[in-house]
Amino acid sequence: MPLTTSALGAPPSAVSAAYARLNEVFPGLRVIEVPAGEALPEGAGWVRTEQLAEGGAALDAFLAWDNAQILKDYGTHARPDVIASFGLHRYAWPACLLITIPWFLHRRVPRFPSSGVAFQRTLGRLAVHVTEFACLPGDPAAGRPGARVVPDEEALRAEVRAAVAEHLQPVLTGFGPRMRRGPRALWGMATDEIVEGLWYLGHLLGDERRAMTDLEALLPGSTKPYVGKAAFRELTGPDGESLPTRDRASCCMFYTLRPEDTCVTCPRTCDADRIAKLTATTAA
């Protein structure tokens, strides 16, 4: 179903400004708010999150795209579990931003059950129904329909963790059998998607250090079902510069395609290689 005029022109919600700012600094991702009562888009590459969670034909089609993209990008076929891992990453990374960006920018935490989101990844579009959100006392949006006021910052962080878990739990259930990973590994991957998505957007927003501080408080390492913590640490570059890095809680499986080229945050990557990669990126 093509997007209707009203879907493109939905009244601003309490999180609309955050999504507009997200698109400004990261044009590859746009959030479309669909008014209550209107259906989420279908067809033309759109898939609803609840369809991915079912683990059936919609997920087969979703992963077929990843299979083709891996062959195009790397000139080799990937194992089925690697394809599924890439597919989950390509969904979960932007989906987590639906929740973490409004929290980071405005201290507002929306809730999105799997029935309330649709994804068009070739266009970089997420269509959502915004129905409720949590906020702090004194927030100008506290009186808006769907607002739930929580007492303090820690309570709001708990809302972030709960909102992401509510959204991703069905998705992990759908992807899990394809990935051949247990619950701990899957929630480790969810932890990484939360951290690395907001960390990257914090950099684009010119507020990387605050993003890191917020993430360390959000994921201190004792917040089930998440596995591990934000795990930031500092390295020192050749000119004495500080180089932030972190250690992933899960493996993205990229090494199965390029064994000689591990990710900069992979535990397999030694600090010397991390410094070389980070300083090369900075120079570029």
Side-chain angles (χ1 to χ4, degrees):
M1 181 192 79
L3 289 174
T4 63
T5 301
S6 57
L8 289 171
S13 73
V15 294
S16 296
Y19 295 151
R21 183 69 178 126
L22 166 63
N23 184 242
E24 285 177 7
V25 299
F26 188 48
L29 181 62
R30 181 184 174 202
V31 180
I32 300 167
E33 297 186 43
V34 179
E38 292 198 15
L40 294 172
E42 295 180 273
W46 287 94
V47 61
R48 297 193 312 278
T49 303
E50 60 186 347
Q51 292 176 306
L52 296 178
E54 291 168 358
L59 182 56
D60 290 339
F62 190 84
L63 295 179
W65 186 95
D66 287 287
N67 185 30
Q69 192 65 39
I70 289 171
L71 184 59
K72 176 183 176 182
D73 290 344
Y74 306 110
T76 186
H77 289 281
R79 300 188 326 231
D81 60 312
V82 175
I83 294 168
S85 295
F86 276 45
L88 177 60
H89 163 68
R90 286 171 171 147
Y91 175 79
W93 192 93
C96 287
L97 291 171
L98 288 173
I99 297 162
T100 58
I101 279 292
W103 167 65
F104 180 66
L105 291 176
H106 302 300
R107 288 305 193 250
R108 296 170 186 169
V109 182
R111 287 278 185 136
F112 295 110
S114 60
S115 60
V117 178
F119 185 40
Q120 217 292 7
R121 62 170 164 197
T122 57
L123 298 177
R125 302 289 187 266
L126 284 160
V128 300
H129 284 139
V130 179
T131 58
E132 63 174 301
F133 66 97
C135 62
L136 294 170
D139 188 318
R144 298 185 64 153
R148 290 186 302 104
V149 179
V150 299
D152 54 32
E153 290 277 2
E154 178 50 37
L156 199 63
R157 286 191 287 269
E159 290 286 335
V160 176
R161 294 188 290 264
V164 174
E166 177 188 20
H167 185 78
L168 286 187
Q169 174 66 78
V171 179
L172 298 181
T173 298
F175 275 84
R178 314 292 184 100
M179 295 171 61
R180 298 191 301 182
R181 300 197 200 187
R184 180 177 176 82
L186 291 171
W187 282 106
M189 192 167 182
T191 303
D192 289 329
E193 303 300 353
I194 294 171
V195 176
E196 299 201 349
L198 186 57
W199 183 23
Y200 180 68
L201 264 294
H203 170 73
L204 295 182
L205 289 161
D207 212 353
E208 181 179 9
R209 289 293 173 176
R210 184 169 74 85
M212 293 167 66
T213 298
D214 278 0
L215 285 164
E216 287 173 333
L218 179 69
L219 295 167
S222 56
T223 50
K224 293 182 178 180
Y226 303 102
V227 174
K229 53 187 179 179
F232 289 112
R233 56 193 182 90
E234 301 284 334
L235 299 175
T236 302
D239 297 321
E241 69 273 34
S242 176
L243 300 172
T245 189
R246 68 176 296 264
D247 296 313
R248 289 178 56 90
S250 69
C251 181
C252 71
M253 309 297 282
F254 183 68
Y255 79 94
T256 64
L257 299 174
R258 296 278 182 85
E260 73 286 354
D261 189 18
T262 56
C263 302
V264 72
T265 55
C266 179
R268 298 168 179 264
T269 306
C270 69
D271 284 356
D273 286 345
R274 293 185 188 217
I275 291 169
K277 290 173 183 285
L278 290 169
T279 51
T281 300
T282 301

